[in-house]
Amino acid sequence: MTLKLGVIGTGAIGQEHIRRCSKVLQGAKVVAVSDINLDGAQGVVSRLGLEAEVYANGHDVINAADVDAVIITSWGPTHEEFTLAAIAAGKPVFCEKPLAMSAEGCRRIVEAEVAYGRRLVQVGFMRPYDAGYRALKSVITQGEIGEPLMLHCAHRNPAVPESYTTDMAITDTLIHELDVLRWLTDDDYKSVQVVFPRSTKNSHAKLRDPQIVLFETHKGVRIDVEIFVNCAYGYDIQCEVVGETGIARLPEPASVQMRKEAKLATTILTDWKDRFIDAYDVELQAFINDIAIGQLQGPSAWDGFAAAVAGDACLKAQESGQIEPVEMPPRPAFYNR
Amino acid sequence: MTLKLGVIGTGAIGQEHIRRCSKVLQGAKVVAVSDINLDGAQGVVSRLGLEAEVYANGHDVINAADVDAVIITSWGPTHEEFTLAAIAAGKPVFCEKPLAMSAEGCRRIVEAEVAYGRRLVQVGFMRPYDAGYRALKSVITQGEIGEPLMLHCAHRNPAVPESYTTDMAITDTLIHELDVLRWLTDDDYKSVQVVFPRSTKNSHAKLRDPQIVLFETHKGVRIDVEIFVNCAYGYDIQCEVVGETGIARLPEPASVQMRKEAKLATTILTDWKDRFIDAYDVELQAFINDIAIGQLQGPSAWDGFAAAVAGDACLKAQESGQIEPVEMPPRPAFYNR
Amino acid sequence: MTLKLGVIGTGAIGQEHIRRCSKVLQGAKVVAVSDINLDGAQGVVSRLGLEAEVYANGHDVINAADVDAVIITSWGPTHEEFTLAAIAAGKPVFCEKPLAMSAEGCRRIVEAEVAYGRRLVQVGFMRPYDAGYRALKSVITQGEIGEPLMLHCAHRNPAVPESYTTDMAITDTLIHELDVLRWLTDDDYKSVQVVFPRSTKNSHAKLRDPQIVLFETHKGVRIDVEIFVNCAYGYDIQCEVVGETGIARLPEPASVQMRKEAKLATTILTDWKDRFIDAYDVELQAFINDIAIGQLQGPSAWDGFAAAVAGDACLKAQESGQIEPVEMPPRPAFYNR
Amino acid sequence: MTLKLGVIGTGAIGQEHIRRCSKVLQGAKVVAVSDINLDGAQGVVSRLGLEAEVYANGHDVINAADVDAVIITSWGPTHEEFTLAAIAAGKPVFCEKPLAMSAEGCRRIVEAEVAYGRRLVQVGFMRPYDAGYRALKSVITQGEIGEPLMLHCAHRNPAVPESYTTDMAITDTLIHELDVLRWLTDDDYKSVQVVFPRSTKNSHAKLRDPQIVLFETHKGVRIDVEIFVNCAYGYDIQCEVVGETGIARLPEPASVQMRKEAKLATTILTDWKDRFIDAYDVELQAFINDIAIGQLQGPSAWDGFAAAVAGDACLKAQESGQIEPVEMPPRPAFYNR
């Protein structure tokens, strides 16, 4: 039984997901798309040779009779509205980050989903589907390093444009750690502090770079995340979990080992798109498969809400220089893992 | 347009390929299967919930009107007959190793395919589809290490049963290197020598283990391959290419780095099935896609023939202890890459 | 010209230094020793076959006519008194950690040395003499990673006895980082904060373990040091310097790489004495050689004072949970590097 | 008791050894030197500020009443004569490679030493004193990898001058492996074969580079040594021992790990002098200490003879392309380890 998908937003990532669902993954096809740029949407459909209806309005995609599930890859500010509409229509929805523009917006989605009574929403956090993070989590859950006590993490980009400002280190960059570290440790943030080292000469007027974000979790785990978006040398994601009896570290991407020019070296990626490329396929295939078995299991609206709340606390900590609490309401049983 | 596949042989690897083509890959479905064990074949079809006809005879699968292409995963001695029949029927065929039980058998297939006038045969060598080998080949072809001069390789298994004899180190184990090293270096073997180190105490009466196989290629490259099938510690495939200006080494599989019990360690796989698991998917997807574009590009009948000829020379060298020539006829232009 | 040494204190480390100066290093010999345990001192002299006078009192060693320089390895509380006496006698003195029991005590030594008008004191910080730290500093000073922005460090011991309390993580363990990180970055601490992760089950009633100490330096560099003295897996010293254009990491000790039991592994040391064993030789040889050229260049009384001041701030930060300033008076020109 | 040394030959390595024995090591001093260039010898003595007699003739050094032991660092063709003279004088002698210009010459030295009745000769093979090789040997002797079955080795130099010819790959380069591999495996060579891969474009008219030398030992161990003296990328010594239950590999020299310019890299040395620099100190200190205890334990005249015999077989194998026997007489009990 093939899942019939409607896709709202045919920009770069929208096209990627359409290609994936049409040419790579199993069990789904795209039957409806929309974009504020109607010609663009039409172009994508013909380029990929799809038999898909093109709509002027995302709501028409959601409500199309032949659409079983919705993928939202439109402009961020529209995510909340379309996600709520999909819930109202009782259709499973995969919404790219951010789930909403505010924690309040995420909360409204959570409430709508709880009211509906069944999980319909998956948020586009792909790292929990990365083979490396999964191997790391498996090491932890199998007790190979005892209880986690500390995490040392880094999120480094070679460079960012002048339009990238200090707050975006949280909202655009740290957002991935905010989700995956909760998932990895099966824990929640209690407080957060942000410190600003001396800035690199490669940064811009409106960007303090690097930054270090320090979390305490409810279990007392201490997490430090270095965010360094003009690190110059590559796109480098590090995650080291220090446990009671050992330390486990996120695998480096496999790479040919070279002996050349007086160096013994492996390659560090420079393009973020290459780093988790397989995870996007796994993520969407899981969405398709979980719908087939009637039970979404990926990152939930609650996870999107939790990331948003933590992100707001980080932004506040950037401003205040103080240790800021991360205040989450109790998790509805509905979302228990 | 979905490619309709017939699968001959529903043993372990047959079932794997059926699952792959039905549940993982794009653009194909299994419409016909056969096995000498008819109930077994029927069981596979129902277990996987396929709409596939079950035939008592492989030839019926090949000749079934709705079968576009054939996958041969039956008992080795039947491969040549079924492959020739698929060629006769003008249907693309994916044949698992060995292509035939002898170099002569492979040659008959080559001649039949050349006579037919278009490539119809892909042999089930999966390593050229492994991401690591592809990265290694790309380093070489991009000239990053200059011209290759030497290859140091190893093929190690933790253990083999008593039924595994000295000659099987060539026919069952080295066979993978025989193909992938030709592909990696874009070269052919000129001669081969086999030396036997002191045997491990973990070997058996009918197995001299380890062995070292030494090749010279037409370009003068020297290749040494250590075959050690009772190495005890893991399943470990090594390939190091020494070039004029540097050395490139096959990536180790990505693994969580652990600090534990006074060791800084990564994991070495122990089950061969895990080592190239992704490559099987890529290999069969390529077969499906290449048929769609009307041009098979994977390991050819000629490659199967070349591996068989080299394998025969290795067996002779095991016996003689001498340097044995590897005598191949000139490659038909038909097979030029 | 052989330097004639007097050694005060013939306990474990005293005996090590006596052996070093007598049997390993060049240009010195031990001519006088003392210890509160007179028989013990006599035993050491005869066991090592030294021609050395044994005195009941450290002051007699300092004042012995044939003693050119003094090594203080006695009980910590006596260090200040003997060091001041050596300065008064105008004799070079190598004093093991701590230089004094308080920052004030260190300050008195600094003032005495400045008043004397020439450097006479070297403190027993050995890490600046470790080949790995020297290589790391050379990478930084050669500008290979641009300006340092962050340091991520760890000091891990497999286990400590019940007598080891929370404050000793600073005074016994972090003390080494307090010195070597100032030397490595050629910078001084501005403030410090201590956070306590969830404690390991392997810790004791009077020890919060692990701890994380966070420094800001005058140049704005941010340093985090994880102190984990019951980490179970080994004695592991980590230091990673994140610069504007790259990252440099302290070398792991060289070790045989093993492929065994499904692991690709190197050994992590478990005994701290093995980790910097060569550095002790280099450190004392430098003391001997620098005296010969009339200019001590190793860790100075000022460095001992700076470490003591930073250590006091760390202890205060452990108590307060606040960010505590590290208040140093301006460095006398006398100590400029 | 200080050992009084006479040094014959004050060229580059002679000066190094004189400096070592005078300024670095314990328990010895240089009291006599000679060189065919008398002024050169005088210059060395004054530059290093030694109280040493300068002789015109090496025999005068050997026979000087105050000379306890001799170090021979003169021109190769004089080694045999001076070594025999030292034996005749009953004085311990450290002779740099080669012990003699031929196996026959080495044999004459062996016979003279045996006739004398006590070990007097140590040959200047330094690798058995390298910490890495010692750690590797200890892994083997402790049975951590079971019985050795195969060794995969490489000796690579970045480049050699035009004066370096094919045979020098054996006599100047492989000579180190010829000794250290016997020591490492506690075994002797039975036969040798040399194969020539395609030559690098960076080689010269009179040099076939690289070469691969294949040994079989009396225990049946198979050893392959790649000699590649224009490898371009660095000075790189590799040694991997494949045993029945695991594999042990010579440690890479410790190096700062860098993340820079899209590479995760450590440094490979380019100057051979840096690779085993510590081993030279250990080697000569051992010579000095072993004389003090009256029992030389380092590389013996027999080891020098064995290396010469193996080297001759390698040269023959280079010519013949055949498997050549390595014919050694039985080892005199005198030399049993």
Side-chain angles (χ1 to χ4, degrees), chain A residues 226-287:
Chain A
E226 174 200 323
I227 309 169
F228 190 7
V229 294
N230 290 290
C231 79
Y233 75 84
Y235 182 74
D236 196 5
I237 303 299
Q238 296 288 323
C239 182
E240 188 174 58
V241 183
V242 182
E244 289 177 307
T245 58
I247 296 178
R249 187 175 190 137
L250 187 67
E252 300 283 343
S255 159
V256 172
Q257 183 198 64
M258 305 279 293
R259 291 174 187 268
K260 192 178 172 184
E261 293 166 352
K263 299 266 174 251
L264 176 55
T266 50
T267 297
I268 295 174
L269 297 172
T270 52
D271 184 343
W272 64 268
K273 288 188 291 298
D274 300 333
R275 179 65 176 84
F276 295 107
I277 191 156
D278 297 341
Y280 291 101
D281 292 347
V282 181
E283 166 192 55
L284 274 170
Q285 187 68 68
F287 177 68

Side-chain angles (χ1 to χ4, degrees), chain A residues 25-26 247 257 259-260, chain B residues 25-26 144 247 249 259:
Chain A
L25 307 180
Q26 275 259 353
I247 296 178
Q257 183 198 64
R259 291 174 187 268
K260 192 178 172 184
Chain B
L25 306 180
Q26 275 261 350
E144 287 189 43
I247 297 177
R249 188 176 190 136
R259 290 174 187 268

Side-chain angles (χ1 to χ4, degrees), chain D residues 87 111-120 334:
Chain D
I87 295 170
E111 284 160 354
E113 191 181 35
V114 172
Y116 182 82
R118 187 160 58 78
R119 272 200 59 187
L120 287 174
F334 181 87

Side-chain angles (χ1 to χ4, degrees), chain C residues 21-26 132 135-136 139 144-145 240 245-249 251-252 254-260, chain D residues 21-26 132 135-136 139 144-145 240 245-249 251-252 254-260:
Chain C
C21 297
S22 311
K23 309 290 180 195
V24 181
L25 306 181
Q26 274 260 350
L136 185 56
V139 162
E144 286 189 44
I145 59 170
E240 186 175 59
T245 59
I247 297 178
R249 188 175 190 137
E252 300 283 342
S255 158
V256 172
Q257 183 199 63
M258 305 279 292
R259 291 175 187 267
K260 192 179 172 183
Chain D
C21 297
S22 311
K23 310 290 179 193
V24 180
L25 307 180
Q26 275 260 349
L136 184 56
V139 162
E144 287 189 45
I145 59 171
E240 187 175 59
T245 59
I247 297 178
R249 187 176 192 135
E252 299 283 344
S255 158
V256 172
Q257 183 199 63
M258 306 279 292
R259 290 174 188 269
K260 192 179 171 184

Side-chain angles (χ1 to χ4, degrees), chain B residues 149 243-246, chain D residues 155-162 164 199-204 207-210 227-234:
Chain B
L149 305 176
E244 289 178 307
T245 58
Chain D
H155 188 138
R156 305 186 186 117
N157 295 54
V160 292
E162 300 238 342
Y164 186 108
S199 287
T200 172
K201 68 178 189 319
N202 299 317
S203 192
H204 316 308
L207 172 60
R208 298 183 71 177
D209 181 39
I227 309 169
F228 190 8
V229 293
N230 290 290
C231 78
Y233 75 82

Side-chain angles (χ1 to χ4, degrees), chain C residues 37-202:
Chain C
N37 170 351
L38 204 54
D39 296 349
Q42 188 55 69
V44 171
V45 166
S46 32
R47 251 202 318 289
L48 289 169
L50 306 178
E51 297 158 358
E53 194 71 31
V54 178
Y55 296 91
N57 184 315
H59 289 286
D60 299 340
V61 169
I62 293 168
N63 297 320
D66 63 344
V67 166
D68 302 324
V70 181
I71 294 178
I72 301 174
T73 49
S74 50
W75 188 44
T78 66
H79 288 188
E80 178 181 352
E81 173 191 347
F82 287 133
T83 303
L84 288 170
I87 294 170
K91 295 187 178 180
V93 55
F94 178 95
C95 182
E96 266 305 328
K97 295 170 301 297
L99 178 58
M101 300 308 282
S102 70
E104 261 326 293
C106 295
R107 177 133 205 197
R108 283 187 288 270
I109 291 168
V110 163
E111 284 160 354
E113 191 180 36
V114 171
Y116 181 82
R118 189 159 58 77
R119 274 199 58 186
L120 288 174
V121 181
Q122 177 169 333
V123 184
F125 290 123
M126 99 295 288
R127 286 200 199 172
Y129 294 101
D130 170 64
Y133 273 109
R134 290 171 95 83
L136 185 56
K137 186 175 173 70
S138 147
V139 162
I140 296 169
T141 51
Q142 286 166 34
E144 286 189 44
I145 59 170
E147 286 296 320
L149 304 176
M150 295 169 280
L151 275 70
H152 305 305
C153 310
H155 188 138
R156 305 187 185 116
N157 296 55
V160 291
E162 300 239 341
S163 56
Y164 186 108
T165 50
T166 297
D167 57 313
M168 292 167 70
I170 305 301
T171 53
D172 281 27
T173 301
L174 187 69
I175 188 70
H176 292 281
E177 272 77 15
L178 288 175
D179 177 68
V180 77
L181 299 181
R182 284 180 67 247
W183 168 83
L184 187 66
T185 57
D186 195 11
D187 198 356
D188 277 297
Y189 308 113
K190 184 176 160 196
S191 70
V192 62
Q193 176 184 8
V194 177
V195 297
F196 293 98
R198 160 185 198 172
S199 286
T200 172
K201 67 178 186 328
N202 299 316

